[in-house]
């Protein structure tokens, strides 16, 4: 086990607590308007989206249902394997429901693409994808989420739910991890 002051491993802060809060409030207001009469089923992709998801649901002022799914795409490292495996499935049937998938970050876009296809096969009434961060330089634009918090450069970021090897999730801001931490 590594004992460290996590703050020392951060190269720069991309988004402060206040910036995140204000953007999540905007996204919440947008979804509230869109889903007011739809009783949406909001899906959290564990674990990275957990902070974003709970804050977003709190900002959605409508009747909604929460459920969780866990997939693995990265293992413990910083490189995408391209393989998405379901570790914990939803508890609820989504057939006929309006589904909102909440993801932390889009890198290659493979995780969200696979998950969207998988959940579509269960015949929901509609599916929307929402991601907090988008490394837009890393994928074609057609793979982007329907709704995105912030577009970011191609850097490895942690905090506000995002991890490196399971750590740094509890940092209240989103920061770029120093390269020497993972190289
Ligand atoms: P994709 O399938 O390549 O789009 O990767 C998406 C997943 O990789 C996310 O759900 C994250 O768990 C992880 N990921 C990608 N980039 C980062 C990053 O910069 N920091 C932390 N996790 C990341
Ligand atoms: Mg992750």
């Amino acid at each position: 086990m590594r004992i460290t002051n996590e703050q020392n491993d951060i190269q720069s802060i991309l988004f402060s607590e206040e910036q995140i809060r204000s953007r999540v409030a905007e996204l919440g207001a947008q979804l509230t308007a869109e889903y007011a009469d739809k009783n949406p089923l909001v899906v959290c992709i564990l674990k990275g989206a957990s902070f974003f998801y709970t804050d977003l649901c709190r900002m959605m002022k409508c009747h909604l249902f929460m459920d969780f799914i866990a997939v693995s795409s990265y293992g413990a490292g910083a490189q995408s394997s391209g393989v998405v495996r379901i570790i914990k499935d939803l508890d609820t049937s989504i057939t006929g429901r309006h589904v909102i998938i909440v993801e932390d970050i889009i890198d290659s876009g493979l995780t969200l693409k696979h998950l969207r296809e998988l959940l579509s096969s269960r015949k929901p009434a509609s599916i929307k994808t929402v991601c907090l961060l988008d490394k837009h330089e890393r994928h074609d634009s057609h793979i982007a989420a329907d709704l995105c918090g912030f577009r970011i450069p191609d850097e490895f970021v942690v905090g506000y739910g995002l991890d490196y090897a399971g750590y740094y999730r509890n940092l209240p801001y989103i920061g770029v991890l120093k390269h020497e931490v993972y190289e």
Side-chain angles (χ1 to χ4, degrees), residues 45-49 71-75 77-84 103-114 133 135 138-139 143 152-159 161-165 167 169 174-177 182:
I45 307 184
L46 293 169
K47 300 169 188 163
V71 300
S72 91
S73 57
Y74 269 21
Q79 286 301 306
S80 181
S81 65
V83 179
V84 175
E103 172 65 309
D104 53 359
I105 184 167
I106 298 189
D107 183 5
S108 70
L110 284 175
T111 305
L112 203 56
K113 180 173 180 287
H114 280 95
L133 305 173
K135 292 187 190 174
R138 299 260 301 157
H139 58 77
I143 221 162
I152 63 166
D154 182 13
E155 295 277 11
F156 198 82
V157 295
V158 293
L162 290 135
D163 73 303
Y164 172 65
Y167 288 94
R169 292 192 200 276
I174 294 164
V176 176
L177 193 63
Y182 57 91

Side-chain angles (χ1 to χ4, degrees), residues 13-17 19-20 133 150-152 172-175:
I13 294 179
L14 273 188
F15 303 107
S16 68
E17 280 188 81
Q19 285 173 303
I20 296 168
L133 305 173
F150 304 100
R151 297 175 89 189
I152 63 166
Y173 51 78
I174 294 164

Side-chain angles (χ1 to χ4, degrees), residues 67-71 86-92 118-119 122:
D67 203 351
F68 300 80
I69 192 166
V71 300
I86 295 208
I87 296 166
K88 183 226 166 283
D89 206 339
L90 298 171
D91 296 332
T92 344
L118 175 88
L119 296 188
R122 298 179 186 178

Side-chain angles (χ1 to χ4, degrees), residues 24-95:
V24 173
E26 285 176 3
L27 296 174
Q30 201 170 326
L31 290 171
T32 302
E34 209 172 316
Y35 286 88
D37 55 356
K38 292 204 168 100
N39 192 13
L41 197 156
V42 191
V43 174
C44 175
I45 307 184
L46 293 169
K47 300 169 188 163
S50 55
F51 287 54
F52 174 45
Y53 175 78
T54 52
D55 284 347
L56 185 65
C57 286
R58 243 190 300 247
M59 298 312 293
M60 288 178 68
K61 309 298 180 194
C62 60
H63 200 48
L64 60 80
F65 193 93
M66 298 170 75
D67 203 351
F68 300 80
I69 192 166
V71 300
S72 91
S73 57
Y74 269 21
Q79 286 301 306
S80 181
S81 65
V83 179
V84 175
R85 191 165 56 90
I86 295 208
I87 296 166
K88 183 226 166 283
D89 206 339
L90 298 171
D91 296 332
T92 344
S93 165
I94 64 167
T95 305

